[in-house]
Amino acid sequence: MADQPRRPRTLNDARTEAEAAFKKTTTRVVEAPPKPAAIPGVKELVSLRIDQDVLEHFQEGGPGWQDRINEALRKAVGK
């Protein structure tokens, strides 16, 4: 078999091939981070800004106002 003559490569051909090879090896499929499993009954400490009148409404019932806010939020999200 006779070797066929190669056509001379231009700078643009080499650059295009290099960019394509680089892109192929560096491009990753973006995966969503796994959602942490919610553990029933475990509460998380958060800082939350609530209108003063809303806070007073829940505090009027005395102790347990945070639990009442939590219950109202559960109803709002349909749980």
Side-chain angles (χ1 to χ4, degrees), residues 52 54-63 65 68-69:
Q52 186 65 36
V54 174
L55 182 60
E56 288 172 359
H57 169 78
F58 284 99
Q59 288 179 335
E60 285 173 358
W65 60 271
R68 290 190 292 276
I69 291 175

Side-chain angles (χ1 to χ4, degrees), residues 5 8-9 11 13 16-17 19 25-26 29 31 33-34 36 43 47 49-51 55 61 63 67 70 76-77:
R9 295 177 73 164
L11 180 60
D13 290 340
T16 302
E17 288 177 19
E19 287 174 353
T25 59
T26 59
V29 176
E31 296 177 10
K43 295 186 179 187
S47 176
R49 293 185 178 270
I50 300 175
D51 290 337
L55 182 60
D67 292 329
N70 194 46
V77 297

Side-chain angles (χ1 to χ4, degrees), residues 19-29:
E19 287 174 353
F22 180 78
K23 186 175 183 179
K24 189 163 74 170
T25 59
T26 59
T27 303
R28 291 185 181 178
V29 176

